[in-house]
DNA sequence: AACCAGGCCAACCGCCCAATT
DNA sequence: CAATTGGGCGGTTGGCCTGGT
Protein backbone atom coordinates (compact mmCIF):
# COMPACT_ATOMS: atom_id res chain seq x y z
CA UNK A 1 0.00 0.00 0.00
CA UNK A 2 2.93 2.27 0.38
CA UNK A 3 3.69 4.46 3.28
CA UNK A 4 3.61 8.02 2.19
CA UNK A 5 3.15 11.06 4.30
CA UNK A 6 1.03 10.83 7.40
CA UNK A 7 0.68 12.53 10.71
CA UNK A 8 3.63 10.51 11.96
CA UNK A 9 5.91 11.70 9.22
CA UNK A 10 5.58 15.33 10.09
CA UNK A 11 8.56 17.24 11.38
CA UNK A 12 10.92 14.99 13.26
CA UNK A 13 8.39 12.84 15.03
CA UNK A 14 9.52 9.47 16.31
CA UNK A 15 8.35 6.31 14.60
CA UNK A 16 8.82 2.67 15.28
CA UNK A 17 8.89 0.82 18.58
CA UNK A 18 8.13 2.74 21.74
CA UNK A 19 10.79 3.12 24.40
CA UNK A 20 10.16 2.62 28.09
CA UNK A 21 10.60 6.32 28.62
CA UNK A 22 7.97 7.18 26.05
CA UNK A 23 5.60 4.67 27.61
CA UNK A 24 6.14 6.20 31.01
CA UNK A 25 5.50 9.70 29.74
CA UNK A 26 2.30 8.62 28.05
CA UNK A 27 1.02 6.66 31.02
CA UNK A 28 1.81 9.45 33.45
CA UNK A 29 0.06 12.00 31.32
CA UNK A 30 -3.07 9.93 30.87
CA UNK A 31 -3.21 9.02 34.53
CA UNK A 32 -3.18 12.70 35.39
CA UNK A 33 -5.29 14.09 32.57
CA UNK A 34 -7.31 11.22 31.24
CA UNK A 35 -7.72 9.94 27.71
CA UNK A 36 -8.71 12.01 24.74
CA UNK A 37 -7.46 15.06 22.88
CA UNK A 38 -4.92 12.82 21.25
CA UNK A 39 -3.66 15.39 18.80
CA UNK A 40 -2.65 17.77 21.53
CA UNK A 41 -1.49 15.08 23.91
CA UNK A 42 2.03 14.45 22.57
CA UNK A 43 3.07 18.06 22.98
CA UNK A 44 1.61 18.32 26.46
CA UNK A 45 3.11 15.02 27.51
CA UNK A 46 6.50 15.85 26.05
CA UNK A 47 6.38 13.14 23.43
CA UNK A 48 7.73 13.35 19.92
CA UNK A 49 4.96 11.18 18.53
CA UNK A 50 1.83 11.90 16.60
CA UNK A 51 -1.48 11.73 18.41
CA UNK A 52 -2.63 8.69 16.55
CA UNK A 53 0.48 6.83 17.52
CA UNK A 54 -0.09 7.73 21.17
CA UNK A 55 -3.67 6.61 21.05
CA UNK A 56 -2.75 3.32 19.46
CA UNK A 57 -0.01 2.66 21.97
CA UNK A 58 -2.36 3.36 24.85
CA UNK A 59 -5.29 1.41 23.48
CA UNK A 60 -3.35 -1.64 22.41
CA UNK A 61 -0.63 -1.89 24.98
CA UNK A 62 -0.56 0.48 27.94
CA UNK A 63 -4.15 0.50 29.09
CA UNK A 64 -4.33 -0.99 32.60
CA UNK A 65 -7.21 -3.29 31.74
CA UNK A 66 -5.38 -5.03 28.92
CA UNK A 67 -5.32 -8.76 29.41
CA UNK A 68 -1.91 -10.22 28.77
CA UNK A 69 -1.05 -13.72 27.77
CA UNK A 70 -2.26 -16.24 25.28
CA UNK A 71 -5.78 -16.38 23.98
CA UNK A 72 -7.57 -19.09 25.92
CA UNK A 73 -9.52 -21.89 24.31
CA UNK A 74 -12.77 -20.24 25.39
CA UNK A 75 -11.75 -16.93 23.90
CA UNK A 76 -10.59 -18.73 20.79
CA UNK A 77 -13.97 -20.32 20.36
CA UNK A 78 -15.82 -17.10 21.05
CA UNK A 79 -13.73 -15.22 18.50
CA UNK A 80 -14.61 -17.79 15.90
CA UNK A 81 -18.30 -17.54 16.68
CA UNK A 82 -18.31 -13.78 16.72
CA UNK A 83 -16.33 -13.60 13.51
CA UNK A 84 -18.86 -15.82 11.86
CA UNK A 85 -21.51 -13.34 12.93
CA UNK A 86 -19.73 -10.05 12.47
CA UNK A 87 -17.03 -10.60 9.88
CA UNK A 88 -13.87 -8.55 10.21
CA UNK A 89 -15.35 -6.09 12.64
CA UNK A 90 -12.53 -6.49 15.07
CA UNK A 91 -13.50 -3.69 17.38
CA UNK A 92 -16.93 -5.20 17.89
CA UNK A 93 -15.45 -8.61 18.50
CA UNK A 94 -12.95 -7.12 20.91
CA UNK A 95 -15.79 -5.41 22.72
CA UNK A 96 -17.05 -8.82 23.71
CA UNK A 97 -13.69 -10.02 24.94
CA UNK A 98 -12.82 -7.91 27.95
CA UNK A 99 -9.15 -7.02 28.09
CA UNK A 100 -8.46 -7.95 24.51
CA UNK A 101 -7.83 -5.38 21.82
CA UNK A 102 -9.06 -5.29 18.28
CA UNK A 103 -5.49 -5.38 17.06
CA UNK A 104 -4.72 -8.44 19.12
CA UNK A 105 -7.76 -10.29 17.91
CA UNK A 106 -7.10 -9.29 14.34
CA UNK A 107 -3.54 -10.56 14.59
CA UNK A 108 -4.67 -13.74 16.26
CA UNK A 109 -7.23 -14.33 13.59
CA UNK A 110 -4.81 -13.72 10.76
CA UNK A 111 -2.02 -15.79 12.20
CA UNK A 112 -3.93 -18.65 13.80
CA UNK A 113 -7.59 -18.97 13.14
CA UNK A 114 -7.87 -18.13 9.47
CA UNK A 115 -5.41 -20.87 8.59
CA UNK A 116 -6.90 -23.35 10.98
CA UNK A 117 -10.38 -22.69 9.70
CA UNK A 118 -9.27 -22.94 6.12
CA UNK A 119 -8.02 -26.41 6.86
CA UNK A 120 -11.22 -27.27 8.71
CA UNK A 121 -13.25 -26.01 5.81
CA UNK A 122 -11.23 -28.03 3.34
CA UNK A 123 -11.75 -31.14 5.37
CA UNK A 124 -15.43 -30.39 5.72
CA UNK A 125 -15.65 -29.94 1.99
CA UNK A 126 -14.13 -33.29 1.35
CA UNK A 127 -16.36 -34.93 3.90
CA UNK A 128 -19.33 -33.28 2.31
CA UNK A 129 -18.34 -34.61 -1.07
CA UNK A 130 -18.06 -38.07 0.32
CA UNK A 131 -21.48 -37.86 1.92
CA UNK A 132 -23.02 -36.76 -1.33
CA UNK A 133 -23.73 -33.17 -0.43
CA UNK A 134 -25.86 -33.71 2.63
CA UNK A 135 -26.02 -30.56 4.70
CA UNK A 136 -26.82 -29.86 8.28
CA UNK A 137 -29.09 -27.08 9.46
CA UNK A 138 -27.00 -26.60 12.55
CA UNK A 139 -24.21 -24.08 12.43
CA UNK A 140 -21.40 -25.60 14.42
CA UNK A 141 -19.23 -23.16 16.34
CA UNK A 142 -16.12 -23.93 14.37
CA UNK A 143 -17.87 -24.13 11.07
CA UNK A 144 -17.11 -20.61 10.07
CA UNK A 145 -18.12 -19.56 6.66
CA UNK A 146 -18.59 -15.87 7.18
CA UNK A 147 -22.20 -15.54 8.08
CA UNK A 148 -22.40 -12.41 6.04
CA UNK A 149 -21.47 -14.24 2.91
CA UNK A 150 -23.58 -17.27 3.47
CA UNK A 151 -26.88 -17.72 1.81
CA UNK A 152 -28.18 -17.14 5.33
CA UNK A 153 -30.95 -19.56 4.74
CA UNK A 154 -30.82 -20.65 8.32
CA UNK A 155 -32.26 -17.44 9.53
CA UNK A 156 -34.09 -14.95 7.42
CA UNK A 157 -34.58 -12.42 10.15
CA UNK A 158 -31.01 -12.26 11.26
CA UNK A 159 -29.53 -12.06 7.83
CA UNK A 160 -31.84 -9.32 6.69
CA UNK A 161 -31.12 -7.29 9.73
CA UNK A 162 -27.44 -7.76 9.27
CA UNK A 163 -27.70 -6.20 5.87
CA UNK A 164 -28.48 -2.88 7.38
CA UNK A 165 -25.84 -2.92 10.04
CA UNK A 166 -23.08 -1.80 7.77
CA UNK A 167 -23.80 1.86 7.61
CA UNK A 168 -26.05 2.48 10.51
CA UNK A 169 -23.08 2.75 12.76
CA UNK A 170 -23.24 2.70 16.45
CA UNK A 171 -20.72 3.89 18.93
CA UNK A 172 -18.16 1.85 17.15
CA UNK A 173 -17.90 4.76 14.80
CA UNK A 174 -19.74 2.88 12.22
CA UNK A 175 -18.56 0.00 10.43
CA UNK A 176 -16.12 1.46 8.21
CA UNK A 177 -16.59 1.82 4.67
CA UNK A 178 -13.27 1.42 3.12
CA UNK A 179 -14.49 -1.16 0.80
CA UNK A 180 -14.58 -4.68 1.97
CA UNK A 181 -17.07 -4.47 4.68
CA UNK A 182 -19.72 -2.52 2.93
CA UNK A 183 -19.60 -4.91 0.07
CA UNK A 184 -19.56 -7.84 2.40
CA UNK A 185 -22.73 -6.69 4.05
CA UNK A 186 -24.32 -5.79 0.80
CA UNK A 187 -25.07 -2.25 1.84
CA UNK A 188 -24.73 0.45 -0.69
CA UNK A 189 -27.55 2.77 0.13
CA UNK A 190 -30.16 0.36 -1.08
CA UNK A 191 -33.24 2.08 0.23
CA UNK A 192 -35.49 -0.80 -0.60
CA UNK A 193 -33.54 -3.22 1.52
CA UNK A 194 -33.30 -0.79 4.39
CA UNK A 195 -37.03 -0.16 4.32
CA UNK A 196 -37.64 -3.89 4.26
CA UNK A 197 -35.42 -4.35 7.28
CA UNK A 198 -37.12 -1.56 9.17
CA UNK A 199 -40.51 -3.08 8.43
CA UNK A 200 -39.25 -6.42 9.64
CA UNK A 201 -38.02 -4.93 12.86
CA UNK A 202 -41.30 -3.19 13.54
CA UNK A 203 -43.15 -6.39 12.95
CA UNK A 204 -40.94 -8.23 15.38
CA UNK A 205 -41.29 -5.54 18.00
CA UNK A 206 -45.05 -5.53 17.72
CA UNK A 207 -45.43 -9.27 17.91
CA UNK A 208 -42.98 -9.61 20.75
CA UNK A 209 -42.07 -13.08 19.55
CA UNK A 210 -38.50 -12.18 18.98
CA UNK A 211 -38.00 -10.81 22.45
CA UNK A 212 -39.86 -13.71 24.02
CA UNK A 213 -37.58 -16.10 22.24
CA UNK A 214 -34.51 -14.23 23.22
CA UNK A 215 -35.60 -13.77 26.76
CA UNK A 216 -35.56 -17.47 27.36
CA UNK A 217 -32.31 -17.98 25.62
CA UNK A 218 -30.52 -15.13 27.28
CA UNK A 219 -31.88 -15.54 30.74
CA UNK A 220 -28.87 -15.29 32.94
CA UNK A 221 -26.60 -13.88 30.32
CA UNK A 222 -25.22 -10.52 31.30
CA UNK A 223 -25.67 -8.65 28.10
CA UNK A 224 -25.13 -5.01 28.87
CA UNK A 225 -27.82 -2.72 27.67
CA UNK A 226 -29.96 -5.44 26.24
CA UNK A 227 -33.03 -4.74 28.26
CA UNK A 228 -34.51 -1.82 26.39
CA UNK A 229 -33.60 -2.70 22.90
CA UNK A 230 -30.34 -0.84 23.14
CA UNK A 231 -27.25 -1.88 21.35
CA UNK A 232 -25.13 -4.56 22.89
CA UNK A 233 -21.48 -3.69 22.94
CA UNK A 234 -19.99 -5.65 25.74
CA UNK A 235 -20.49 -8.90 27.44
CA UNK A 236 -19.58 -9.78 30.97
CA UNK A 237 -16.77 -12.20 31.64
CA UNK A 238 -18.89 -14.90 33.22
CA UNK A 239 -21.12 -15.18 30.20
CA UNK A 240 -18.44 -16.81 28.11
CA UNK A 241 -19.23 -20.35 29.02
CA UNK A 242 -22.91 -19.91 28.44
CA UNK A 243 -22.24 -18.47 25.04
CA UNK A 244 -19.86 -21.23 24.19
CA UNK A 245 -22.40 -23.85 25.05
CA UNK A 246 -24.89 -22.57 22.53
CA UNK A 247 -25.51 -24.82 19.60
CA UNK A 248 -28.14 -25.57 17.03
CA UNK A 249 -31.30 -23.51 17.27
CA UNK A 250 -30.01 -21.64 20.28
CA UNK A 251 -27.00 -20.55 18.32
CA UNK A 252 -29.10 -19.43 15.41
CA UNK A 253 -31.17 -17.36 17.83
CA UNK A 254 -27.96 -15.85 19.09
CA UNK A 255 -27.20 -14.72 15.57
CA UNK A 256 -30.56 -13.04 15.31
CA UNK A 257 -30.10 -11.44 18.67
CA UNK A 258 -26.76 -9.93 17.88
CA UNK A 259 -27.84 -8.84 14.45
CA UNK A 260 -30.79 -7.07 15.92
CA UNK A 261 -28.90 -5.12 18.51
CA UNK A 262 -26.01 -4.24 16.28
CA UNK A 263 -28.17 -2.13 14.03
C1' DA B 1 27.92 -21.41 14.25
C1' DA B 2 25.75 -19.43 10.40
C1' DC B 3 22.14 -18.97 7.43
C1' DC B 4 17.40 -19.04 5.95
C1' DA B 5 12.37 -19.22 5.97
C1' DG B 6 8.26 -18.54 8.12
C1' DG B 7 5.39 -16.83 11.86
C1' DC B 8 4.12 -13.37 15.04
C1' DC B 9 2.76 -8.94 16.43
C1' DA B 10 3.48 -3.90 17.32
C1' DA B 11 3.01 -0.11 14.71
C1' DC B 12 1.84 2.53 10.66
C1' DC B 13 -1.26 3.67 6.85
C1' DG B 14 -5.22 5.43 4.41
C1' DC B 15 -9.79 5.98 4.80
C1' DC B 16 -14.11 7.01 6.99
C1' DC B 17 -17.56 9.22 10.08
C1' DA B 18 -19.16 12.59 13.35
C1' DA B 19 -18.61 16.85 15.50
C1' DT B 20 -17.24 21.42 15.19
C1' DT B 21 -16.24 25.78 12.96
C1' DC C 1 -23.61 24.04 3.42
C1' DA C 2 -18.71 23.30 3.06
C1' DA C 3 -14.37 22.81 5.21
C1' DT C 4 -11.76 21.34 9.00
C1' DT C 5 -10.62 18.59 12.93
C1' DG C 6 -10.58 14.65 16.00
C1' DG C 7 -11.08 10.08 16.69
C1' DG C 8 -11.62 5.44 15.23
C1' DC C 9 -11.43 1.50 12.13
C1' DG C 10 -9.56 -2.47 9.29
C1' DG C 11 -5.68 -3.55 6.27
C1' DT C 12 -0.93 -3.98 5.80
C1' DT C 13 3.97 -3.72 6.73
C1' DG C 14 8.37 -4.86 8.51
C1' DG C 15 11.41 -6.07 12.31
C1' DC C 16 12.19 -9.57 15.57
C1' DC C 17 12.10 -14.25 17.04
C1' DT C 18 12.29 -19.12 16.52
C1' DG C 19 12.97 -23.48 14.49
C1' DG C 20 15.02 -26.10 10.85
C1' DT C 21 18.99 -27.18 8.00
Amino acid sequence: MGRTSSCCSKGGLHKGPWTAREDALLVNYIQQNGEGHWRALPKKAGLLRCGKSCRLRWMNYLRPDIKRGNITADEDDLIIKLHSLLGNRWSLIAGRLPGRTDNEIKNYWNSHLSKRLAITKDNAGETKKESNGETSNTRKPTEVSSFCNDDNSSNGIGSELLLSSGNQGGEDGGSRGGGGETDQLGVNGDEEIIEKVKAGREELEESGDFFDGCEGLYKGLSWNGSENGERVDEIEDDSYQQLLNLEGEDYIQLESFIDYFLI
Side-chain angles (χ1 to χ4, degrees):
Chain A
M1 66 201 233
R3 297 188 176 186
T4 54
S5 64
S6 73
C7 63
C8 299
S9 342
K10 289 175 189 168
L13 295 181
H14 287 178
K15 290 173 72 174
W18 281 64
T19 64
R21 182 177 171 278
E22 287 177 314
D23 282 347
L25 284 170
L26 180 57
V27 170
N28 285 339
Y29 181 86
I30 291 177
Q31 280 175 349
Q32 288 172 16
N33 302 282
E35 295 180 37
H37 307 289
W38 296 107
R39 203 161 289 222
L41 185 151
K43 202 172 181 179
K44 292 180 180 174
L47 285 160
L48 284 170
R49 294 271 181 176
C50 73
K52 289 181 87 167
S53 183
C54 293
R55 176 186 163 274
L56 205 66
R57 182 64 177 173
W58 173 256
M59 294 295 192
N60 287 339
Y61 199 82
L62 298 175
R63 250 168 43 198
D65 56 333
I66 296 283
K67 192 189 285 183
R68 294 273 154 222
N70 295 335
I71 301 282
T72 65
D74 284 356
E75 289 172 320
D76 180 293
D77 203 0
L78 187 53
I79 290 169
I80 292 169
K81 283 182 174 179
L82 289 169
H83 187 269
S84 75
L85 296 169
L86 303 170
N88 294 356
R89 301 167 78 174
W90 306 117
S91 61
L92 284 175
I93 295 173
R96 291 170 175 72
L97 288 155
R100 300 296 186 185
T101 68
D102 54 355
N103 206 37
E104 187 178 13
I105 290 168
K106 178 172 60 183
N107 284 332
Y108 185 71
W109 179 268
N110 289 333
S111 58
H112 295 87
L113 298 179
S114 61
K115 292 169 192 169
R116 201 170 83 204
L117 291 167
I119 293 168
T120 305
K121 212 174 178 181
D122 283 349
N123 291 341
E126 285 172 20
T127 309
K128 205 175 172 182
K129 256 184 182 177
E130 287 165 13
S131 64
N132 205 18
E134 191 180 343
T135 56
S136 163
N137 61 359
T138 299
R139 185 187 299 273
K140 292 282 167 61
T142 52
E143 189 182 350
V144 172
S145 53
S146 183
F147 184 56
C148 307
N149 291 332
D150 278 350
D151 64 4
N152 297 332
S153 58
S154 64
N155 175 19
I157 294 166
S159 48
E160 279 198 359
L161 291 171
L162 187 59
L163 281 172
S164 71
S165 67
N167 59 359
Q168 297 293 313
E171 59 105 20
D172 72 61
S175 336
R176 312 198 43 279
E181 190 176 345
T182 302
D183 293 336
Q184 184 181 35
L185 293 173
V187 178
N188 276 313
D190 189 329
E191 298 297 329
E192 193 180 327
I193 292 177
I194 292 171
E195 284 306 313
K196 202 175 167 186
V197 169
K198 282 180 183 171
R201 279 182 65 174
E202 285 168 11
E203 196 178 321
L204 284 167
E205 284 168 356
E206 281 170 16
S207 72
D209 292 343
F210 183 76
F211 286 108
D212 288 345
C214 288
E215 192 180 339
L217 173 59
Y218 295 100
K219 201 172 184 181
L221 289 181
S222 311
W223 289 93
N224 295 334
S226 63
E227 288 176 9
N228 302 311
E230 297 166 1
R231 291 182 68 252
V232 176
D233 290 318
E234 292 179 3
I235 182 169
E236 302 285 341
D237 256 324
D238 43 349
S239 296
Y240 281 177
Q241 200 53 51
Q242 295 170 72
L243 266 177
L244 294 169
N245 288 337
L246 298 178
E247 285 189 359
E249 288 305 312
D250 282 349
Y251 186 63
I252 289 168
Q253 284 196 37
L254 169 64
E255 290 174 336
S256 304
F257 186 78
I258 290 182
D259 291 347
Y260 183 87
F261 286 109
L262 283 176
I263 289 181

